[in-house]
């Protein structure tokens, strides 16, 4: 079955950095676009970033553009999110998500359990 397992979250001071990983299995990872989505306490999910199946095209929410970098290693079936210059507003549970179709539809059929990122002094 499809499995998505995030790791790398933690507590960091404003201005700090974290690198999140999403280890995947149960599907042909290299055929699918992937995204990172976050959910802050008391708020709905917010799309953060996406990457196409081959890794050559990336997309970012305005709130993280210039600070976050999405990447993937298809040989390792792993998705990454490098987060720099972190702000308290970035505090959220970060989940990776698989596009529902190999031809991307920007709808996601599988989500990981998420990893907590807390940015605080």
């Amino acid at each position: 079955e499809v499995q998505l397992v995030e790791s790398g979250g933690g507590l960091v001071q404003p201005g700090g950095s974290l690198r999140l990983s999403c280890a995947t299995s149960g599907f042909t990872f290299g055929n699918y676009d992937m995204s990172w989505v976050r959910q802050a306490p008391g708020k709905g999910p917010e799309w953060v970033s996406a990457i196409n199946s081959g890794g050559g095209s990336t997309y970012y929410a305005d709130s993280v553009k210039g600070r976050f970098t999405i990447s993937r290693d298809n040989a390792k079936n792993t998705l990454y999110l490098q987060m720099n210059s972190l702000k308290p507003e970035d505090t959220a549970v970060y989940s990776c998500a698989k596009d529902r179709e190999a031809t991307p539809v920007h709808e996601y059929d599988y989500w990981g359990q998420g990893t907590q990122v807390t940015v605080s002094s």
Side-chain angles (χ1 to χ4, degrees):
E1 72 281 12
V2 172
Q3 293 188 350
L4 309 173
V5 181
E6 300 92 341
S7 62
L11 175 63
V12 64
Q13 292 184 331
S17 297
L18 286 172
R19 191 191 197 202
L20 307 184
S21 297
C22 171
T24 77
S25 61
F27 68 103
T28 304
F29 178 73
N31 286 350
Y32 291 87
D33 286 17
M34 298 290 295
S35 283
W36 287 97
V37 178
R38 67 187 182 186
Q39 189 161 8
K43 306 185 77 172
E46 176 190 15
W47 174 82
V48 174
S49 185
I51 187 167
N52 76 322
S53 59
S57 297
T58 59
Y59 309 89
Y60 300 92
D62 287 344
S63 58
V64 307
K65 194 171 299 182
R67 300 187 298 119
F68 290 11
T69 303
I70 190 171
S71 62
R72 65 194 297 160
D73 187 337
N74 286 348
K76 297 183 182 295
N77 296 329
T78 302
L79 178 72
Y80 303 98
L81 185 67
Q82 178 66 47
M83 306 185 295
N84 298 327
S85 302
L86 283 161
K87 304 175 180 180
E89 308 90 87
D90 296 318
T91 296
V93 174
Y94 285 72
S95 300
C96 60
K98 170 189 171 292
D99 199 284
R100 183 169 56 81
E101 303 290 345
T103 299
V105 294
H106 305 152
E107 298 173 356
Y108 306 99
D109 57 355
Y110 291 94
W111 301 62
Q113 83 290 345
T115 186
Q116 176 71 50
V117 172
T118 302
V119 185
S120 181
S121 298

